[in-house]
Amino acid sequence: GNSVTQMEGPVTLSEEAFLTINCTYTATGYPSLFWYVQYPGEGLQLLLKATKADDKGSNKGFEATYRKETTSFHLEKGSVQVSDSAVYFCALGYGQNFVFGPGTRLSVLP
Amino acid sequence: GAVVSQHPSRVICKSGTSVKIECRSLDFQATTMFWYRQFPKQSLMLMATSNEGSKATYEQGVEKDKFLINHASLTLSTLTVTSAHPEDSSFYICSASYLGVTETQYFGPGTRLLVL
C-alpha cells in the first residue's frame, strides 16, 4: 500500500538556519507529492507540490524535488524565519487515495 | 480562488447528541469532497470520500453509521457525527476537488469538535 515517512520532530532551529525535513514514500503507480503546512490552531495550507519525477515544487523560499530513484521528496529552505514555525506534512495523492505523513513540528527561535 | 469553508469552526456538545459539520466550496463546483480526521499532535487520516449525488465511500475502520456523510450538491457536503462520545473529539477537516481526485483538492480550515 501507499505510505509516507517523515523525519521525527520536533525540529528546533535558530532564525536564518538551513532547513531540511526528510520525506520518503512507498507507492504503487505514480503519485503526486505534496508538502502542507499547518500553523497552530489552523487548517492545512498547500505549501508546494510536484506531479512527476524530477519536478521541483517551490513556494515562499521552500523547495522540494520529486526523486523517483530514491522515492523521496525532501523539503528545504535556505533561511528559516520565526514565522515558519508550524507542523509540516508530506503527502502523496493518487486518484482518490491520499496519504499524509506523520508531520514534523518545526520551531524557529529568534 | 478555490476557497473551501467549514462551519462551525468549533463545537462543544454533550455525549449522546449529534453534530453536523458543513463543508462548502465557495467559488468552484466540487465533484468530490473528502473528510479527514486529525487527533491531537497526530497526522490526518482520510475517513471517507463523497461524490456528489452518490453514497460516500468509507475507509476501512470508519463506521458509516456513526459518521454520516451527505453530498447533496456540487458545493456542499455535510458530516454528521451521530450519538457523539468523548472519543469522537477531534479536528475534522474537509477538502473539495473539482476534478474528483486528491491531486486537486483544496482544504477547509477544519472544525474542532469537543464532546463532553
Side-chain angles (χ1 to χ4, degrees):
Chain A
N2 299 334
S3 67
V4 176
T5 304
Q6 286 179 241
M7 63 187 290
E8 297 252 347
V11 174
T12 303
L13 297 173
S14 298
E15 204 164 25
E16 298 183 2
F18 185 86
L19 169 71
T20 300
I21 301 178
N22 290 338
C23 170
T24 56
Y25 68 92
T26 57
T28 54
Y30 302 96
S32 295
L33 300 175
F34 306 82
W35 278 101
Y36 286 89
V37 59
Q38 186 176 35
Y39 297 100
E42 297 185 15
L44 291 177
Q45 296 180 29
L46 176 64
L47 184 57
L48 53 85
K49 69 178 183 181
T51 58
K52 61 183 188 297
D54 299 326
D55 268 2
K56 177 188 281 189
S58 61
N59 185 27
K60 300 180 182 179
F62 291 89
E63 292 183 342
T65 301
Y66 190 144
R67 301 282 188 203
K68 187 163 176 261
E69 63 276 12
T70 55
T71 61
S72 64
F73 193 54
H74 304 321
L75 182 68
E76 296 183 336
K77 186 175 185 182
S79 176
V80 294
Q81 305 301 312
V82 173
S83 57
D84 294 326
S85 299
V87 180
Y88 293 81
F89 293 94
C90 184
L92 67 84
Y94 184 70
Q96 295 197 341
N97 297 302
F98 202 82
V99 177
F100 281 94
T104 301
R105 184 174 299 276
L106 170 66
S107 295
V108 181
L109 305 177
Chain B
V3 178
V4 177
S5 70
Q6 280 184 244
H7 178 80
S9 58
R10 293 175 180 269
V11 57
I12 301 173
C13 69
K14 292 182 178 180
S15 187
T17 61
S18 294
V19 174
K20 180 183 284 188
I21 301 170
E22 292 185 349
C23 177
R24 293 182 184 273
S25 56
L26 298 185
D27 51 3
F28 67 99
Q29 293 187 325
T31 56
T32 304
M33 289 186 172
F34 303 90
W35 286 95
Y36 296 83
R37 181 175 180 175
Q38 184 181 30
F39 289 103
K41 298 188 178 181
Q42 294 189 30
S43 189
L44 290 84
M45 301 296 293
L46 179 63
M47 297 175 65
T49 301
S50 76
N51 295 297
E52 187 265 338
S54 60
K55 289 184 179 180
T57 301
Y58 291 80
E59 296 298 301
Q60 194 171 7
V62 177
E63 300 174 61
K64 61 181 180 182
D65 294 330
K66 174 106 180 129
F67 299 99
L68 300 178
I69 292 173
N70 182 278
H71 192 165
S73 77
L74 285 172
T75 58
L76 173 64
S77 176
T78 59
L79 167 69
T80 301
V81 183
T82 62
S83 186
H85 288 95
E87 57 266 30
D88 299 324
S89 299
S90 192
F91 194 48
Y92 292 89
I93 302 178
C94 74
S95 71
S97 170
Y98 57 90
L99 288 179
V101 292
T102 56
E103 293 95 315
T104 57
Q105 64 184 327
Y106 296 91
F107 284 87
T111 297
R112 192 163 300 283
L113 169 64
L114 176 61
V115 184
L116 302 177

